Amino acid sequence: MQRIGIIKAMRAEAQPLIERLGLEPAPSPWPDRLAPGLWTGMCGPARIDLVWMGRDDRHGVDCIGTTAATLAAALLLSHRSPDIVISAGTAGGFIARGGAIGTVYLSRSPICFHDRRVPLPGFRESAMGESPCIDVSEMAEALGLEMGVVSTGDSLDAPRSDLDTMTRLGTHAKDMEAAAVAWMAAQFGVPMLAVKAITDLVDGPHATEAEFMEHLHTASDRLGEAVERIVAW
Ligand code: ADE
């Protein structure tokens, strides 16, 4: 039996896929005080384990970003032993690189952090992450999905230094989790893929947070549809 692990940050991003795959909430095999929640189900011969990163109860919002993503990935990898890990979520896109609201990107290797700057030998490269993901060009072609560079930081906005790094990397999808999940998957030697649906355009005329909220649900639907097809493939 193949085991596919999926990590999602916001509940709104996870819900369409939970419904499409008919996943059921499962008691999490990790301590109760840790936020991530688990949904499981079968998709054909494959077992799906979807880990939602959970709630930040102190602030009454969903957990997002690399700290919670690293925890969710570590729990998924150590408790459910997936054969592959998918970081699925929303991202900011770039008009300059052909991006549009609703575009779904499959990640190209490597997946880097765009907001870590440590100008010391060795630490510079370590901070950048540069973690591998699997080559899914054949699947992208078969499913008619685009491939793109995914890079990760812990902010929704994009200060100049981050933008410069994203220009250098050629980022198509700016997210807040993929590089953390990729790093943890690499520690476990488990293949990884990021699937990101665009909710807002980083180099567009609209405020990111307003555009993100406006398109969160439609992009999450697109994401759910794409991940369902990926899992079936
Ligand atoms: N998720 C959706 N839009 C994003 C953005 N602009 N930056 C980081 N993560 C995002």
Side-chain angles (χ1 to χ4, degrees):
M1 179 181 64
Q2 214 193 2
R3 292 155 300 190
I4 302 175
I6 302 173
I7 296 178
K8 293 259 193 177
M10 294 175 71
R11 190 59 203 273
E13 294 169 324
Q15 196 59 32
L17 185 64
I18 289 173
E19 286 168 17
R20 277 175 179 278
L21 298 181
L23 304 179
E24 298 286 345
S28 41
W30 43 82
D32 280 349
R33 66 181 176 281
L34 300 179
L38 177 66
W39 274 256
T40 64
M42 296 299 293
C43 182
R47 188 185 78 198
I48 312 294
D49 290 314
L50 183 147
V51 175
W52 165 53
M53 283 164 35
R55 292 281 287 175
D56 173 349
D57 282 335
R58 284 199 302 137
H59 301 100
V61 294
D62 290 356
C63 293
I64 59 172
T66 61
T67 306
T70 305
L71 173 63
L75 293 173
L76 171 68
L77 284 152
S78 55
H79 288 274
R80 303 298 286 178
S81 306
D83 299 302
I84 179 170
V85 175
I86 300 175
S87 166
T90 59
F94 293 81
I95 299 168
R97 290 186 274 283
I101 304 292
T103 305
V104 176
Y105 288 105
L106 306 183
S107 56
R108 252 191 232 143
S109 218
I111 302 183
C112 297
F113 294 98
H114 54 239
D115 63 349
R116 296 185 176 185
R117 293 169 291 279
V118 187
L120 291 168
F123 290 98
R124 175 187 285 109
E125 294 74 16
S126 173
M128 285 299 294
E130 296 216 4
S131 299
C133 60
I134 50 174
D135 178 3
V136 290
S137 38
E138 202 186 317
M139 180 173 75
E141 171 113 44
L143 299 183
L145 293 171
E146 294 201 35
M147 290 186 65
V149 174
V150 178
S151 72
T152 300
D154 267 307
S155 298
L156 191 67
D157 71 356
R160 187 76 258 163
S161 52
D162 293 5
L163 281 175
D164 288 347
T165 303
M166 286 186 272
T167 301
R168 188 169 55 74
L169 295 171
T171 300
H172 294 91
K174 166 185 179 282
D175 91 325
M176 298 178 69
E177 287 87 21
V181 174
W183 180 80
M184 188 52 80
Q187 305 302 307
F188 279 75
V190 173
M192 183 275 175
L193 171 69
V195 185
K196 300 287 155 176
I198 301 303
T199 46
D200 52 272
L201 296 164
V202 178
D203 53 355
H206 304 296
T208 299
E209 52 277 26
E211 207 172 20
F212 170 74
M213 291 312 296
E214 186 183 343
H215 299 294
L216 175 61
H217 289 283
T218 42
S220 299
D221 283 342
R222 293 262 182 101
L223 179 69
E225 184 194 359
V227 175
E228 185 181 23
R229 293 172 66 217
I230 288 164
V231 165
W233 195 89

